Amino acid sequence: GAGVSQSPSNKVTEKGKDVELRCDPISGHTALYWYRQSLGQGLEFLIYFQGNSAPDKSGLPSDRFSAERTGGSVSTLTIQRTQQEDSAVYLCASSSGQGVNIQYFGAGTRLSVL
Amino acid sequence: AQSVTQPDIHITVSEGASLELRCNYSYGATPYLFWYVQSPGQGLQLLLKYFSGDTLVQGIKGFEAEFKRSQSSFNLRKPSVHWSDAAEYFCAVGAPAAGNKLTFGGGTRVLVKP
């Protein structure tokens, strides 16, 4: 079956613009995670969804970042008024349920803010 | 809060030689431990995991790791490295009490000499 799919694979934007990053999890996976991978900070957790609710948003770096998940499936990470420090690879992962299950990762979206 | 340290940023190894990557974690309860590998431009692929039981775990691609509670370590090993093992390797700890998120080490980049 298909793995975790992220789009776009690359996004170049100008400082101050809004961007939306999309994640399609593995079918049937109820848990979905967003992480950010940057040179200075390594791999950081951003937000976690169980179904459509987000019990842990503790990693979102500022109120410019938001995410939603609809229908227990697709998730969108939105960054408003992008800044150069937002440049990073944004990774999405999904897992099958409660507890610490294996997280399966997508290939990521590389965001470049000019 | 949990944390993960990978002391070696880069390791260079000759093809056919053995490889050991170090990982130390900090977590108050029994940890759930993972090793992931990332090839250039790719997402993270799970190599192996430790949840409980036998402290020596086998993974894909001939990798194994040993959980040592007394040393708070989960080192990754491979007896004979292939050129295709050149990649970046990440150790991670996860726990339900932490919202199921993974906390990653900084990664170790492995270069393989012919």
Side-chain angles (χ1 to χ4, degrees), chain A residues 35 37 45 48 99-100 103 106, chain B residues 36 38 43 51 96 99-102:
Chain A
Y35 295 87
Q37 185 174 26
F45 166 81
Y48 152 62
V100 184
Q103 293 183 25
Chain B
Y36 282 87
Q38 186 178 37
F51 286 1
N100 301 302
K101 64 189 177 189
L102 294 177

Side-chain angles (χ1 to χ4, degrees), chain B residues 46-114:
Chain B
L46 181 71
L47 286 175
L48 46 78
K49 66 187 186 298
Y50 172 77
F51 286 1
S52 65
D54 193 347
T55 56
L56 183 63
V57 293
Q58 302 297 319
I60 62 170
K61 304 185 180 186
F63 285 92
E64 66 177 25
E66 186 171 13
F67 170 60
K68 293 186 177 180
R69 184 186 301 275
S70 61
Q71 298 178 19
S72 298
S73 70
F74 188 56
N75 294 349
L76 182 71
R77 298 192 293 257
K78 184 169 184 176
S80 177
V81 168
H82 186 261
W83 64 266
S84 60
D85 294 322
E88 189 154 22
Y89 293 78
F90 293 93
C91 181
V93 62
N100 301 302
K101 64 189 177 189
L102 294 177
T103 299
F104 288 89
T108 298
R109 184 168 297 277
V110 173
L111 303 176
V112 180
K113 295 190 301 184

